[in-house]
Amino acid sequence: MNHFRLIFLGFLATFTSSWLGLVILPSLHYGQMSAELPKPAPSAELDLVRRGEQIYAGNGCIYCHTQQVRSPEFGSDAARNWGRRRTVAEDYMGDRLAMLGTMRTGPDLSNIGQRMKSAAWHYQHLHLPTSTSPGSIMPPYGFLFELKPVVDGKPDADAIPLGPDGGRTNANGMQCVPTPEARALVAYLLSLKRTQASRPEALEASGS
Amino acid sequence: MKPTNSTQYLTSEQLHSRMERAQIDEAARGPVLHFFISALIWLLAGSALALLASIKLHSPTFLAGTDWLTFGRVRPAHLTTMVYGWATMACIGVSLWIMSRLCRAPLRGAGWLHLSATLLNAGNLVGTYGVLMGRSTSFEWLEYPREAGALIAAAFVPLIAVFADMARRRQPGHIYVSQWYLMASIFWFPWLYLTAQALLLWQPVAAPAQPPINWWFAHNVLGLWFTPICLAAAYYLIPKVLGRPIHSYYLSIVGFWSLAFFYAWNGMHHLIGGPYPAWLISVSIVASMMMFIPVATVAVNHHFTVYGSFSMVRSSPTLRFVVFAAMNYTLVSIQGSLMAVRAVSHVTHFTHYTIAHSHLGMYAFVTMMLFGAMYYMVPRLTGREWPSRRLISLHFWCCGLGVLHYFAVLSVAGIEEGYGLLNENVPFIDIVKRTLPYLEQRSWAGCAMTVGHLAFATSFVWLLLRKPHAQREATLLAAPSQALAPALS
């Protein structure tokens, strides 16, 4: 074949078909769906959650944690208490980034805000995962915490317990408190309650 | 390079084509070496990041105190430096040279090509820095922050111009299948990349639309960028080294168009079970199954071209890497098609099995093919032969056995992990603990591959330091059979 223009048209046609079908069509579909939904009111809380979403993204949590619950025919998600129904596209409408994830080296986090409601637990877990989850291979995020002197004899409410006795100050009288990044990240994690809203169509689709 | 004593028998026509080839190689030397040397530096950087990430997964406290060395930053930095630094830059070097050889048009615009390589290096540098500083976008295969994406996209403007210029100046006659693959890929990749950058980073679409676009990109960057270039290299190098034409011209055309048509529709099977309508995912499952057609045609075509010359696979460094890569192309493609089947995905999704699969593709196929192409091209570009057969051998065995070990241990880990995840009675932490020995083995495999890379880099630098035209015979790994010797390299 020596007709270069014809060959080139072939390159164009094959590629455009998938571009329209897999990129443009879903973008328009979900774009329209999102435009029809009411926008969340701006608040300091929402800003903090959005900041936390960035911290979650920037530190690569997605490489070990999914945020999607699959129907019972696809696995033990419900039995592991990861969500009471499968997640559907609407469950991600409030997000800036849909971090569905592709690996479950760690557990699914779709509803971590519901499963683990305590901020103190999250701080301790992030600081040293094995302290709350023995055997965990999650990296410790010591860099999300800083040592600070105690002000007026009152330790910070979110300071990490440092010793086996649960004391919050070390030998030098310093306490280990979460950085603003850690606070934002935990706010984001606590906001994850994806299957809280009732979506009958999802229950129907999952056959439960 | 042909033995010197054959020169006296050359006809004037042969002499002319030899001079023409020398001119083409001369014009390509500077820019192609710029791309190759950059690629090699990124390969070493990517290997260091890979080892770090691998060790951290089974020893989480290793270097854990430093924010920019945390697993979640090092891992995407490894992937992106390998994809955009190593593989992309090496692929461009290979494409430029094969294209100018096949068009019989010496490269023009060397300055523009140096600019393109510089932009890519800058993009990778800025991007890696951004990822390590905690600014990853969290879109897999697209983790570099926006500014790096813009630099990488800009690098393709001069490249497209140079390719169009070569296509326009090509000598009249038949267009070989490698040219099809190369012209298509240089057109497809910028479109893929710009679409993904625009819709995910510049003007982000609604959140639920992001994962389909992400996987459309991530799957097609392999299928419509790395795969076509590596297949073009195989289609060019296997007949060249063996001195015989490709088995079937028609099969190569069927293979090309079925790849173009079906590969583009892959990708959504990464979202099986996810929050999407069934049609979106099913269309990719069907397209994945249809990938058997291009894969089978390429496999049959290559197999029958090499058939009967397996002794040359032992002696020619190029052929050894290329045939290893081509065999793994068949394997990884068949595996990929099967992984898109719901029953298989049921077990393997979300596990290390996927990581094993992606390394069979990006490493055992793409990276090994690029090594093979470089073994053929660099002596022709520089007039210097490879200095040490021991180093080539070390390179081949460390990387070849390394990646097979990598693949084996992670596949088993993934299957075990998959069945564990399905069984609600197995506590999650037990699954994690069971994968640890496999993850440790993966680190050892990574060490072997890194040793291979260091051997190759040493070989490369040593070659550049040699006097040009000091050695007239190609460096071979074993004595070839007499009749075929002249064609070998």
Side-chain angles (χ1 to χ4, degrees), chain B residues 240-307:
Chain B
K240 263 289 196 204
V241 175
L242 292 176
R244 68 161 75 140
I246 198 79
H247 173 69
S248 160
Y249 171 70
Y250 291 101
L251 269 185
S252 66
I253 293 184
V254 173
F256 175 83
W257 287 114
S258 50
L259 177 117
F261 190 74
F262 296 123
Y263 220 132
W265 283 89
N266 274 228
M268 300 308 118
H269 54 279
H270 285 269
L271 302 168
I272 288 179
Y276 293 99
W279 73 264
L280 190 72
I281 291 158
S282 300
V283 85
S284 277
I285 298 179
V286 173
S288 288
M289 298 316 292
M290 298 307 282
M291 281 302 293
F292 274 116
I293 300 172
V295 171
T297 53
V298 169
V300 166
N301 223 351
H302 287 168
H303 180 79
F304 282 106
T305 308
V306 180
Y307 192 75

Side-chain angles (χ1 to χ4, degrees), chain A residues 1 59 63 70 76 86 102, chain B residues 73 140 143 249 272 274 421:
Chain A
M1 168 108 54
N59 286 292
Y63 300 106
R70 309 207 294 175
S76 63
R86 67 173 288 191
T102 45
Chain B
R73 300 190 194 181
E140 291 192 62
E143 284 93 341
Y249 171 70
I272 288 179
L421 283 170

Side-chain angles (χ1 to χ4, degrees), chain A residues 63-105:
Chain A
Y63 300 106
C64 293
H65 296 285
T66 53
Q67 286 191 34
Q68 49 178 317
V69 183
R70 309 207 294 175
S71 63
E73 75 211 58
F74 267 111
S76 63
D77 297 16
R80 289 186 187 276
N81 197 25
W82 287 344
R84 61 194 176 93
R85 60 165 172 83
R86 67 173 288 191
T87 45
V88 291
E90 288 87 334
D91 297 326
Y92 303 87
M93 279 299 177
D95 298 27
R96 286 272 170 83
L97 296 167
M99 292 182 280
L100 295 181
T102 45
M103 287 285 281
R104 282 180 172 169
T105 306

Side-chain angles (χ1 to χ4, degrees), chain A residues 1-4 6-12 14-27 29-31 33-34 54-64 66 68-77 79-80 82 86-90 92-108 128 133-143, chain B residues 57 60-61 64-67 70-73 75-76 134 136-140 143 167 170 173-175 180 183-184 187-188 191-192 195 199 205-213 215-216 220 224 249 256-257 260-261 264-266 268 271-277 279-280 283-284 342 346 349-352 355 417 420-424 426-429 431-433 436 439:
Chain A
M1 168 108 54
N2 301 322
H3 305 285
F4 204 80
L6 201 65
I7 299 177
F8 198 79
L9 274 180
F11 299 166
L12 189 72
T14 49
F15 192 82
T16 311
S17 69
S18 98
W19 185 71
L20 289 174
L22 300 181
V23 174
I24 301 305
L25 203 63
S27 300
H29 176 73
Y30 292 114
M33 205 190 236
S34 135
Q54 286 301 327
I55 306 288
Y56 185 97
N59 286 292
C61 306
I62 194 179
Y63 300 106
C64 293
T66 53
Q68 49 178 317
V69 183
R70 309 207 294 175
S71 63
E73 75 211 58
F74 267 111
S76 63
D77 297 16
R80 289 186 187 276
W82 287 344
R86 67 173 288 191
T87 45
V88 291
E90 288 87 334
Y92 303 87
M93 279 299 177
D95 298 27
R96 286 272 170 83
L97 296 167
M99 292 182 280
L100 295 181
T102 45
M103 287 285 281
R104 282 180 172 169
T105 306
D108 185 86
L128 186 61
S133 318
S136 168
I137 56 168
M138 181 165 129
Y141 291 91
F143 58 86
Chain B
L57 211 51
T61 52
T66 321
D67 54 356
T70 191
F71 172 80
R73 300 190 194 181
R75 183 203 186 276
S136 156
T137 65
S138 214
F139 292 116
E140 291 192 62
E143 284 93 341
R170 73 183 187 277
H174 174 66
I175 302 177
W180 297 37
M183 282 310 292
F187 167 70
W188 285 331
W191 191 347
L192 270 170
T195 301
L199 297 183
V205 293
Q210 294 164 2
I213 298 173
W215 287 109
W216 173 81
N220 281 334
L224 300 180
Y249 171 70
F256 175 83
W257 287 114
F261 190 74
W265 283 89
N266 274 228
M268 300 308 118
L271 302 168
I272 288 179
Y276 293 99
W279 73 264
L280 190 72
V283 85
S284 277
R342 279 176 209 270
H346 191 59
H349 201 35
F350 297 143
T351 72
H352 293 295
I355 308 297
E417 200 186 352
L421 283 170
L422 286 178
N423 183 350
E424 62 193 73
V426 180
F428 195 88
I429 199 71
I431 305 172
V432 173
K433 284 178 187 160
L436 286 177
L439 296 178

Side-chain angles (χ1 to χ4, degrees), chain B residues 2 6-23:
Chain B
K2 298 192 174 185
S6 68
T7 313
Q8 53 188 309
Y9 304 119
L10 287 181
T11 63
S12 68
E13 201 176 310
Q14 280 171 320
L15 199 64
H16 175 76
S17 81
R18 184 181 275 197
M19 280 167 63
E20 190 182 32
R21 281 204 300 275
Q23 266 176 6

